[in-house]
Short mmCIF file of all heavy atoms in Angstrom, two decimals:
data_model
loop_
_atom_site.label_atom_id
_atom_site.label_comp_id
_atom_site.label_asym_id
_atom_site.label_seq_id
_atom_site.Cartn_x
_atom_site.Cartn_y
_atom_site.Cartn_z
N MET V 93 137.38 103.35 190.18
CA MET V 93 137.29 102.80 188.85
C MET V 93 136.92 103.90 187.85
O MET V 93 136.26 104.86 188.21
CB MET V 93 136.25 101.69 188.80
CG MET V 93 136.59 100.44 189.59
SD MET V 93 138.10 99.59 189.08
CE MET V 93 137.61 98.90 187.54
N ILE V 94 137.28 103.68 186.64
CA ILE V 94 136.98 104.66 185.59
C ILE V 94 135.92 104.14 184.63
O ILE V 94 135.60 104.79 183.64
CB ILE V 94 138.26 105.02 184.80
CG1 ILE V 94 138.85 103.79 184.12
CG2 ILE V 94 139.26 105.72 185.68
CD1 ILE V 94 139.96 104.10 183.15
N ASP V 95 135.35 102.99 184.93
CA ASP V 95 134.41 102.34 184.02
C ASP V 95 133.17 103.18 183.73
O ASP V 95 132.53 103.03 182.71
CB ASP V 95 133.99 100.98 184.56
CG ASP V 95 135.17 100.04 184.70
OD1 ASP V 95 136.09 100.13 183.88
OD2 ASP V 95 135.16 99.23 185.64
N HIS V 96 132.82 104.08 184.62
CA HIS V 96 131.60 104.87 184.47
C HIS V 96 131.79 106.09 183.56
O HIS V 96 130.82 106.74 183.18
CB HIS V 96 131.12 105.35 185.84
CG HIS V 96 132.06 106.33 186.48
ND1 HIS V 96 133.24 105.92 187.09
CD2 HIS V 96 132.03 107.67 186.57
CE1 HIS V 96 133.88 106.99 187.53
NE2 HIS V 96 133.16 108.07 187.24
N LEU V 97 133.02 106.40 183.19
CA LEU V 97 133.29 107.58 182.37
C LEU V 97 132.81 107.38 180.93
O LEU V 97 132.73 106.26 180.43
CB LEU V 97 134.79 107.88 182.35
CG LEU V 97 135.41 108.24 183.71
CD1 LEU V 97 136.91 108.41 183.56
CD2 LEU V 97 134.78 109.48 184.30
N SER V 98 132.51 108.49 180.26
CA SER V 98 132.07 108.43 178.86
C SER V 98 133.25 108.08 177.97
O SER V 98 134.41 108.18 178.36
CB SER V 98 131.49 109.77 178.44
OG SER V 98 132.53 110.73 178.30
N ARG V 99 132.95 107.72 176.73
CA ARG V 99 134.02 107.39 175.80
C ARG V 99 134.89 108.61 175.52
O ARG V 99 136.09 108.48 175.32
CB ARG V 99 133.48 106.77 174.53
CG ARG V 99 132.92 107.74 173.53
CD ARG V 99 132.46 107.04 172.28
NE ARG V 99 132.35 107.99 171.20
CZ ARG V 99 132.21 107.67 169.95
NH1 ARG V 99 132.14 106.41 169.60
NH2 ARG V 99 132.13 108.59 169.02
N ASP V 100 134.32 109.80 175.51
CA ASP V 100 135.11 111.02 175.30
C ASP V 100 136.06 111.27 176.46
O ASP V 100 137.21 111.66 176.26
CB ASP V 100 134.20 112.23 175.09
CG ASP V 100 133.43 112.16 173.78
OD1 ASP V 100 134.00 111.67 172.78
OD2 ASP V 100 132.26 112.57 173.76
N GLU V 101 135.58 111.05 177.67
CA GLU V 101 136.44 111.22 178.85
C GLU V 101 137.56 110.18 178.86
O GLU V 101 138.71 110.50 179.18
CB GLU V 101 135.60 111.11 180.12
CG GLU V 101 134.64 112.27 180.31
CD GLU V 101 133.64 112.04 181.42
OE1 GLU V 101 133.10 110.90 181.53
OE2 GLU V 101 133.38 112.99 182.17
N LEU V 102 137.24 108.95 178.49
CA LEU V 102 138.26 107.90 178.43
C LEU V 102 139.28 108.19 177.33
O LEU V 102 140.48 107.96 177.51
CB LEU V 102 137.61 106.54 178.22
CG LEU V 102 136.82 106.02 179.42
CD1 LEU V 102 135.98 104.82 179.03
CD2 LEU V 102 137.74 105.70 180.58
N ALA V 103 138.82 108.71 176.20
CA ALA V 103 139.75 109.06 175.12
C ALA V 103 140.69 110.18 175.57
O ALA V 103 141.87 110.17 175.21
CB ALA V 103 138.97 109.48 173.88
N GLU V 104 140.20 111.11 176.34
CA GLU V 104 141.05 112.20 176.85
C GLU V 104 142.13 111.64 177.78
O GLU V 104 143.29 112.05 177.72
CB GLU V 104 140.20 113.23 177.59
CG GLU V 104 140.96 114.47 177.97
CD GLU V 104 141.54 115.22 176.79
OE1 GLU V 104 140.93 115.25 175.71
OE2 GLU V 104 142.65 115.77 176.94
N ILE V 105 141.78 110.68 178.61
CA ILE V 105 142.77 110.03 179.48
C ILE V 105 143.79 109.31 178.61
O ILE V 105 144.99 109.37 178.85
CB ILE V 105 142.08 109.05 180.45
CG1 ILE V 105 141.25 109.84 181.47
CG2 ILE V 105 143.12 108.17 181.16
CD1 ILE V 105 140.35 108.96 182.32
N ALA V 106 143.32 108.62 177.57
CA ALA V 106 144.21 107.88 176.66
C ALA V 106 145.19 108.83 175.97
O ALA V 106 146.36 108.50 175.81
CB ALA V 106 143.39 107.12 175.62
N ARG V 107 144.71 110.01 175.59
CA ARG V 107 145.59 110.99 174.92
C ARG V 107 146.66 111.54 175.86
O ARG V 107 147.68 112.04 175.40
CB ARG V 107 144.75 112.16 174.39
CG ARG V 107 144.04 111.86 173.12
CD ARG V 107 143.34 113.10 172.57
NE ARG V 107 142.21 112.69 171.77
CZ ARG V 107 140.95 112.58 172.20
NH1 ARG V 107 140.64 112.91 173.44
NH2 ARG V 107 140.01 112.16 171.39
N SER V 108 146.44 111.43 177.15
CA SER V 108 147.40 111.97 178.12
C SER V 108 148.65 111.09 178.23
O SER V 108 149.62 111.48 178.86
CB SER V 108 146.75 112.13 179.49
OG SER V 108 146.55 110.87 180.09
N GLY V 109 148.59 109.90 177.65
CA GLY V 109 149.76 109.04 177.65
C GLY V 109 149.69 107.89 178.62
O GLY V 109 150.55 107.02 178.61
N GLY V 110 148.68 107.85 179.46
CA GLY V 110 148.55 106.74 180.38
C GLY V 110 147.82 105.58 179.72
O GLY V 110 147.06 105.76 178.78
N GLY V 111 148.05 104.40 180.19
CA GLY V 111 147.31 103.25 179.71
C GLY V 111 145.94 103.19 180.35
O GLY V 111 145.63 103.95 181.27
N LEU V 112 145.11 102.31 179.88
CA LEU V 112 143.77 102.13 180.43
C LEU V 112 143.51 100.67 180.73
O LEU V 112 143.88 99.80 179.96
CB LEU V 112 142.71 102.61 179.43
CG LEU V 112 142.59 104.11 179.20
CD1 LEU V 112 141.58 104.37 178.08
CD2 LEU V 112 142.17 104.82 180.45
N ASP V 113 142.85 100.43 181.85
CA ASP V 113 142.41 99.10 182.25
C ASP V 113 140.90 99.25 182.45
O ASP V 113 140.46 99.90 183.39
CB ASP V 113 143.11 98.70 183.54
CG ASP V 113 142.84 97.27 183.95
OD1 ASP V 113 141.84 96.69 183.47
OD2 ASP V 113 143.61 96.74 184.75
N LEU V 114 140.12 98.68 181.55
CA LEU V 114 138.70 98.99 181.49
C LEU V 114 137.85 97.74 181.42
O LEU V 114 138.14 96.81 180.67
CB LEU V 114 138.47 99.83 180.22
CG LEU V 114 137.11 100.41 179.95
CD1 LEU V 114 136.74 101.46 181.00
CD2 LEU V 114 137.10 101.05 178.57
N ARG V 115 136.77 97.73 182.21
CA ARG V 115 135.78 96.67 182.07
C ARG V 115 134.91 97.01 180.87
O ARG V 115 134.40 98.12 180.76
CB ARG V 115 134.92 96.58 183.32
CG ARG V 115 135.63 95.93 184.47
CD ARG V 115 134.65 95.55 185.56
NE ARG V 115 135.36 94.89 186.62
CZ ARG V 115 135.73 95.48 187.75
NH1 ARG V 115 135.45 96.74 187.96
NH2 ARG V 115 136.39 94.80 188.65
N VAL V 116 134.73 96.07 180.00
CA VAL V 116 134.00 96.32 178.76
C VAL V 116 132.54 96.66 179.04
O VAL V 116 132.00 97.63 178.50
CB VAL V 116 134.09 95.10 177.81
CG1 VAL V 116 133.22 95.31 176.60
CG2 VAL V 116 135.53 94.88 177.40
N GLY V 117 131.89 95.89 179.90
CA GLY V 117 130.49 96.16 180.20
C GLY V 117 129.63 96.17 178.95
O GLY V 117 129.70 95.27 178.13
N LYS V 118 128.86 97.24 178.78
CA LYS V 118 127.96 97.34 177.63
C LYS V 118 128.49 98.27 176.55
O LYS V 118 127.75 98.74 175.72
CB LYS V 118 126.59 97.81 178.11
CG LYS V 118 125.93 96.83 179.03
CD LYS V 118 124.56 97.26 179.43
CE LYS V 118 123.98 96.23 180.39
NZ LYS V 118 122.59 96.40 180.64
N ARG V 119 129.78 98.53 176.56
CA ARG V 119 130.36 99.41 175.55
C ARG V 119 130.36 98.72 174.19
O ARG V 119 130.57 97.51 174.09
CB ARG V 119 131.77 99.80 175.92
CG ARG V 119 131.81 100.67 177.17
CD ARG V 119 133.18 101.21 177.42
NE ARG V 119 133.24 101.86 178.70
CZ ARG V 119 132.90 103.13 178.90
NH1 ARG V 119 132.50 103.88 177.90
NH2 ARG V 119 132.95 103.65 180.10
N SER V 120 130.13 99.49 173.17
CA SER V 120 130.10 98.94 171.82
C SER V 120 131.52 98.84 171.26
O SER V 120 132.45 99.48 171.75
CB SER V 120 129.27 99.85 170.90
OG SER V 120 129.93 101.09 170.71
N ALA V 121 131.66 98.04 170.22
CA ALA V 121 132.95 97.93 169.55
C ALA V 121 133.36 99.29 169.00
O ALA V 121 134.53 99.65 169.02
CB ALA V 121 132.88 96.88 168.43
N GLU V 122 132.40 100.07 168.53
CA GLU V 122 132.68 101.41 168.00
C GLU V 122 133.27 102.31 169.08
O GLU V 122 134.23 103.04 168.83
CB GLU V 122 131.39 102.02 167.45
CG GLU V 122 131.59 103.41 166.89
CD GLU V 122 130.28 104.01 166.39
OE1 GLU V 122 129.72 103.48 165.42
OE2 GLU V 122 129.83 104.99 167.01
N ASP V 123 132.69 102.26 170.29
CA ASP V 123 133.23 103.07 171.40
C ASP V 123 134.65 102.66 171.73
O ASP V 123 135.52 103.50 171.97
CB ASP V 123 132.36 102.92 172.65
CG ASP V 123 131.08 103.72 172.59
OD1 ASP V 123 130.94 104.56 171.66
OD2 ASP V 123 130.22 103.50 173.46
N LEU V 124 134.91 101.35 171.76
CA LEU V 124 136.24 100.86 172.12
C LEU V 124 137.26 101.23 171.05
O LEU V 124 138.41 101.55 171.36
CB LEU V 124 136.21 99.36 172.37
CG LEU V 124 135.34 98.94 173.56
CD1 LEU V 124 135.25 97.43 173.66
CD2 LEU V 124 135.86 99.54 174.86
N CYS V 125 136.86 101.22 169.79
CA CYS V 125 137.75 101.65 168.70
C CYS V 125 138.07 103.14 168.84
O CYS V 125 139.21 103.57 168.64
CB CYS V 125 137.12 101.39 167.34
SG CYS V 125 137.11 99.66 166.89
N PHE V 126 137.06 103.93 169.19
CA PHE V 126 137.25 105.37 169.38
C PHE V 126 138.30 105.63 170.46
O PHE V 126 139.20 106.44 170.30
CB PHE V 126 135.91 106.01 169.76
CG PHE V 126 135.96 107.48 170.00
CD1 PHE V 126 135.89 108.37 168.93
CD2 PHE V 126 136.07 107.99 171.28
CE1 PHE V 126 135.93 109.74 169.14
CE2 PHE V 126 136.10 109.35 171.51
CZ PHE V 126 136.03 110.23 170.44
N ILE V 127 138.18 104.91 171.56
CA ILE V 127 139.13 105.06 172.67
C ILE V 127 140.51 104.55 172.26
O ILE V 127 141.53 105.19 172.52
CB ILE V 127 138.62 104.31 173.92
CG1 ILE V 127 137.30 104.94 174.40
CG2 ILE V 127 139.66 104.33 175.03
CD1 ILE V 127 136.53 104.08 175.38
N ALA V 128 140.56 103.40 171.59
CA ALA V 128 141.84 102.81 171.17
C ALA V 128 142.60 103.74 170.23
O ALA V 128 143.83 103.86 170.31
CB ALA V 128 141.61 101.45 170.50
N ARG V 129 141.89 104.42 169.34
CA ARG V 129 142.54 105.35 168.41
C ARG V 129 143.16 106.54 169.13
O ARG V 129 144.09 107.15 168.63
CB ARG V 129 141.56 105.83 167.35
CG ARG V 129 141.30 104.81 166.27
CD ARG V 129 140.55 105.39 165.09
NE ARG V 129 139.20 105.84 165.44
CZ ARG V 129 138.11 105.08 165.41
NH1 ARG V 129 138.21 103.83 165.05
NH2 ARG V 129 136.95 105.57 165.73
N ALA V 130 142.65 106.86 170.31
CA ALA V 130 143.18 107.99 171.08
C ALA V 130 144.46 107.63 171.84
O ALA V 130 145.18 108.52 172.29
CB ALA V 130 142.13 108.49 172.06
N MET V 131 144.74 106.34 171.98
CA MET V 131 145.92 105.91 172.74
C MET V 131 147.20 106.41 172.08
O MET V 131 147.29 106.48 170.86
CB MET V 131 145.98 104.37 172.80
CG MET V 131 144.77 103.70 173.41
SD MET V 131 144.46 104.04 175.13
CE MET V 131 145.78 103.15 175.90
N VAL V 132 148.15 106.78 172.91
CA VAL V 132 149.44 107.18 172.38
C VAL V 132 150.27 105.92 172.11
O VAL V 132 150.09 104.90 172.76
CB VAL V 132 150.19 108.14 173.33
CG1 VAL V 132 149.42 109.42 173.52
CG2 VAL V 132 150.48 107.49 174.66
N PRO V 133 151.18 105.98 171.13
CA PRO V 133 152.01 104.81 170.83
C PRO V 133 152.75 104.32 172.07
O PRO V 133 153.25 105.12 172.86
CB PRO V 133 152.98 105.33 169.77
CG PRO V 133 152.23 106.44 169.10
CD PRO V 133 151.43 107.09 170.21
N GLY V 134 152.76 103.02 172.22
CA GLY V 134 153.47 102.41 173.34
C GLY V 134 152.63 102.23 174.59
O GLY V 134 153.09 101.65 175.56
N SER V 135 151.39 102.74 174.61
CA SER V 135 150.55 102.59 175.79
C SER V 135 149.80 101.26 175.75
O SER V 135 149.77 100.58 174.72
CB SER V 135 149.58 103.77 175.91
OG SER V 135 148.78 103.85 174.76
N LEU V 136 149.20 100.91 176.85
CA LEU V 136 148.53 99.62 176.99
C LEU V 136 147.05 99.84 177.27
O LEU V 136 146.68 100.62 178.15
CB LEU V 136 149.18 98.83 178.13
CG LEU V 136 148.65 97.43 178.42
CD1 LEU V 136 148.84 96.53 177.21
CD2 LEU V 136 149.36 96.85 179.63
N PHE V 137 146.19 99.17 176.52
CA PHE V 137 144.75 99.25 176.67
C PHE V 137 144.27 97.85 177.02
O PHE V 137 144.27 96.95 176.18
CB PHE V 137 144.14 99.73 175.36
CG PHE V 137 142.67 100.07 175.39
CD1 PHE V 137 141.99 100.29 176.58
CD2 PHE V 137 141.97 100.18 174.22
CE1 PHE V 137 140.65 100.62 176.59
CE2 PHE V 137 140.62 100.52 174.20
CZ PHE V 137 139.96 100.74 175.40
N ILE V 138 143.88 97.65 178.27
CA ILE V 138 143.42 96.34 178.73
C ILE V 138 141.90 96.36 178.81
O ILE V 138 141.32 97.23 179.45
CB ILE V 138 144.01 95.99 180.11
CG1 ILE V 138 145.53 95.98 180.05
CG2 ILE V 138 143.46 94.64 180.60
CD1 ILE V 138 146.20 95.83 181.40
N LEU V 139 141.26 95.42 178.14
CA LEU V 139 139.80 95.29 178.15
C LEU V 139 139.44 94.02 178.89
O LEU V 139 139.86 92.94 178.52
CB LEU V 139 139.27 95.24 176.71
CG LEU V 139 139.61 96.47 175.87
CD1 LEU V 139 139.22 96.24 174.42
CD2 LEU V 139 138.91 97.69 176.44
N ARG V 140 138.65 94.16 179.95
CA ARG V 140 138.31 93.03 180.81
C ARG V 140 136.82 92.70 180.77
O ARG V 140 136.01 93.56 180.50
CB ARG V 140 138.67 93.34 182.26
CG ARG V 140 140.13 93.54 182.51
CD ARG V 140 140.35 93.83 183.99
NE ARG V 140 141.70 94.23 184.23
CZ ARG V 140 142.70 93.39 184.46
NH1 ARG V 140 142.48 92.10 184.46
NH2 ARG V 140 143.91 93.84 184.69
N GLY V 141 136.55 91.48 181.14
CA GLY V 141 135.18 91.07 181.35
C GLY V 141 134.56 90.37 180.18
O GLY V 141 135.07 90.41 179.07
N PRO V 142 133.44 89.77 180.44
CA PRO V 142 132.75 89.08 179.35
C PRO V 142 132.27 90.09 178.31
O PRO V 142 131.78 91.16 178.65
CB PRO V 142 131.59 88.37 180.04
CG PRO V 142 131.38 89.10 181.31
CD PRO V 142 132.72 89.69 181.69
N ALA V 143 132.44 89.74 177.08
CA ALA V 143 131.97 90.59 175.99
C ALA V 143 131.45 89.69 174.88
O ALA V 143 131.92 88.57 174.70
CB ALA V 143 133.11 91.46 175.47
N SER V 144 130.51 90.17 174.15
CA SER V 144 129.92 89.36 173.10
C SER V 144 130.32 89.87 171.71
O SER V 144 129.50 89.94 170.81
CB SER V 144 128.40 89.35 173.23
OG SER V 144 127.91 90.68 173.17
N PHE V 145 131.59 90.23 171.58
CA PHE V 145 132.08 90.71 170.29
C PHE V 145 132.45 89.53 169.40
O PHE V 145 132.89 88.49 169.86
CB PHE V 145 133.33 91.58 170.48
CG PHE V 145 133.07 92.83 171.26
CD1 PHE V 145 133.79 93.10 172.41
CD2 PHE V 145 132.12 93.75 170.85
CE1 PHE V 145 133.56 94.26 173.13
CE2 PHE V 145 131.89 94.90 171.57
CZ PHE V 145 132.61 95.17 172.71
N THR V 146 132.28 89.73 168.11
CA THR V 146 132.72 88.72 167.15
C THR V 146 134.23 88.82 167.00
O THR V 146 134.85 89.81 167.40
CB THR V 146 132.07 88.95 165.78
OG1 THR V 146 132.55 90.18 165.24
CG2 THR V 146 130.55 88.97 165.87
N LEU V 147 134.81 87.81 166.40
CA LEU V 147 136.25 87.82 166.15
C LEU V 147 136.61 89.01 165.25
O LEU V 147 137.64 89.67 165.45
CB LEU V 147 136.69 86.51 165.51
CG LEU V 147 138.18 86.36 165.26
CD1 LEU V 147 138.98 86.52 166.55
CD2 LEU V 147 138.47 85.01 164.64
N GLU V 148 135.76 89.32 164.29
CA GLU V 148 136.00 90.46 163.40
C GLU V 148 136.02 91.77 164.19
O GLU V 148 136.87 92.63 163.96
CB GLU V 148 134.91 90.51 162.33
CG GLU V 148 135.12 91.60 161.32
CD GLU V 148 134.06 91.58 160.23
OE1 GLU V 148 133.56 90.50 159.88
OE2 GLU V 148 133.73 92.67 159.73
N GLU V 149 135.09 91.94 165.13
CA GLU V 149 135.06 93.16 165.95
C GLU V 149 136.29 93.25 166.84
O GLU V 149 136.89 94.33 166.98
CB GLU V 149 133.79 93.20 166.80
CG GLU V 149 132.54 93.45 166.01
CD GLU V 149 131.28 93.29 166.85
OE1 GLU V 149 131.19 92.32 167.65
OE2 GLU V 149 130.38 94.11 166.68
N LEU V 150 136.67 92.14 167.45
CA LEU V 150 137.87 92.14 168.30
C LEU V 150 139.11 92.50 167.49
O LEU V 150 139.95 93.28 167.94
CB LEU V 150 138.05 90.77 168.96
CG LEU V 150 137.01 90.38 170.01
CD1 LEU V 150 137.22 88.94 170.43
CD2 LEU V 150 137.06 91.32 171.20
N SER V 151 139.21 91.96 166.30
CA SER V 151 140.34 92.26 165.43
C SER V 151 140.35 93.74 165.06
O SER V 151 141.40 94.39 165.05
CB SER V 151 140.26 91.39 164.18
OG SER V 151 141.29 91.71 163.30
N PHE V 152 139.18 94.31 164.77
CA PHE V 152 139.08 95.72 164.41
C PHE V 152 139.50 96.61 165.56
O PHE V 152 140.22 97.59 165.38
CB PHE V 152 137.65 96.04 163.96
CG PHE V 152 137.48 97.44 163.46
CD1 PHE V 152 138.10 97.84 162.29
CD2 PHE V 152 136.73 98.36 164.16
CE1 PHE V 152 137.95 99.14 161.82
CE2 PHE V 152 136.58 99.65 163.71
CZ PHE V 152 137.19 100.05 162.53
N ILE V 153 139.07 96.27 166.78
CA ILE V 153 139.46 97.04 167.97
C ILE V 153 140.98 97.00 168.13
O ILE V 153 141.63 98.02 168.34
CB ILE V 153 138.77 96.51 169.24
CG1 ILE V 153 137.26 96.73 169.15
CG2 ILE V 153 139.33 97.18 170.49
CD1 ILE V 153 136.46 95.95 170.18
N ALA V 154 141.55 95.81 168.02
CA ALA V 154 143.00 95.65 168.19
C ALA V 154 143.78 96.43 167.14
O ALA V 154 144.79 97.06 167.45
CB ALA V 154 143.37 94.18 168.13
N ARG V 155 143.32 96.42 165.90
CA ARG V 155 144.02 97.15 164.83
C ARG V 155 143.83 98.65 164.94
O ARG V 155 144.64 99.42 164.41
CB ARG V 155 143.53 96.66 163.47
CG ARG V 155 144.02 95.29 163.09
CD ARG V 155 143.71 94.97 161.62
NE ARG V 155 142.42 95.46 161.18
CZ ARG V 155 141.31 94.73 161.08
NH1 ARG V 155 141.34 93.45 161.40
NH2 ARG V 155 140.19 95.26 160.65
N SER V 156 142.79 99.10 165.62
CA SER V 156 142.52 100.53 165.74
C SER V 156 143.47 101.22 166.70
O SER V 156 143.67 102.42 166.61
CB SER V 156 141.07 100.76 166.23
OG SER V 156 140.16 100.33 165.28
N GLY V 157 144.00 100.47 167.64
CA GLY V 157 144.81 101.07 168.69
C GLY V 157 146.19 101.48 168.25
O GLY V 157 146.82 100.83 167.41
N ASN V 158 146.65 102.59 168.80
CA ASN V 158 148.03 103.04 168.59
C ASN V 158 148.98 102.31 169.53
O ASN V 158 150.17 102.22 169.28
CB ASN V 158 148.15 104.54 168.81
CG ASN V 158 147.43 105.32 167.74
OD1 ASN V 158 147.51 104.99 166.58
ND2 ASN V 158 146.71 106.34 168.14
N GLY V 159 148.45 101.83 170.63
CA GLY V 159 149.26 101.09 171.60
C GLY V 159 148.89 99.62 171.51
O GLY V 159 148.32 99.15 170.55
N ALA V 160 149.21 98.88 172.55
CA ALA V 160 148.87 97.46 172.62
C ALA V 160 147.48 97.29 173.22
O ALA V 160 147.13 97.95 174.20
CB ALA V 160 149.90 96.73 173.49
N VAL V 161 146.67 96.45 172.62
CA VAL V 161 145.34 96.15 173.11
C VAL V 161 145.33 94.72 173.60
O VAL V 161 145.69 93.80 172.88
CB VAL V 161 144.27 96.36 172.02
CG1 VAL V 161 142.88 96.02 172.55
CG2 VAL V 161 144.31 97.78 171.48
N VAL V 162 144.93 94.52 174.87
CA VAL V 162 144.90 93.20 175.48
C VAL V 162 143.48 92.89 175.91
O VAL V 162 142.82 93.71 176.55
CB VAL V 162 145.82 93.16 176.74
CG1 VAL V 162 145.73 91.82 177.42
CG2 VAL V 162 147.24 93.51 176.36
N PHE V 163 142.98 91.70 175.54
CA PHE V 163 141.64 91.27 175.93
C PHE V 163 141.77 90.22 177.01
O PHE V 163 142.49 89.25 176.85
CB PHE V 163 140.91 90.69 174.72
CG PHE V 163 140.72 91.65 173.59
CD1 PHE V 163 141.58 91.64 172.51
CD2 PHE V 163 139.70 92.58 173.62
CE1 PHE V 163 141.43 92.53 171.46
CE2 PHE V 163 139.53 93.48 172.59
CZ PHE V 163 140.39 93.46 171.50
N GLN V 164 141.02 90.40 178.11
CA GLN V 164 140.96 89.40 179.18
C GLN V 164 139.51 89.14 179.51
O GLN V 164 138.74 90.07 179.68
CB GLN V 164 141.67 89.90 180.43
CG GLN V 164 143.15 89.95 180.33
CD GLN V 164 143.79 90.32 181.65
OE1 GLN V 164 143.19 91.00 182.46
NE2 GLN V 164 145.00 89.88 181.85
N GLY V 165 139.15 87.89 179.61
CA GLY V 165 137.78 87.61 180.01
C GLY V 165 137.18 86.66 179.13
O GLY V 165 136.45 86.01 178.81
#
């Protein structure tokens, strides 16, 4: 799993062109936006697990991404 990696490490993976499948855990909306902005166009960012984000935060994360952002959980 890659869930233990820092946001900078995850952003570097995102910049490489691969998609990400990530358990949200205790990551902040700011961290997820940072990672989403690093995604290359056409990639997929899957966020899993229970999260306590507001609808506004979820919308901001989704709009920040260059690829598709999918929420599950």
Side-chain angles (χ1 to χ4, degrees):
M93 293 300 288
I94 61 170
D95 298 327
H96 67 283
L97 298 176
S98 72
R99 80 178 199 167
D100 292 323
E101 292 169 318
L102 290 168
E104 188 60 35
I105 292 170
R107 281 185 207 94
S108 73
L112 289 175
D113 187 340
L114 185 66
R115 285 194 178 100
V116 174
K118 296 183 181 191
R119 294 188 188 274
S120 68
E122 180 182 294
D123 283 349
L124 296 175
C125 286
F126 179 84
I127 297 165
R129 283 191 296 272
M131 302 295 289
V132 297
S135 58
L136 182 61
F137 189 17
I138 301 172
L139 301 172
R140 296 181 189 273
S144 58
F145 297 123
T146 66
L147 183 57
E148 184 177 328
E149 289 172 317
L150 291 173
S151 177
F152 185 67
I153 294 166
R155 287 190 322 261
S156 294
N158 292 317
V161 179
V162 177
F163 299 99
Q164 288 186 332

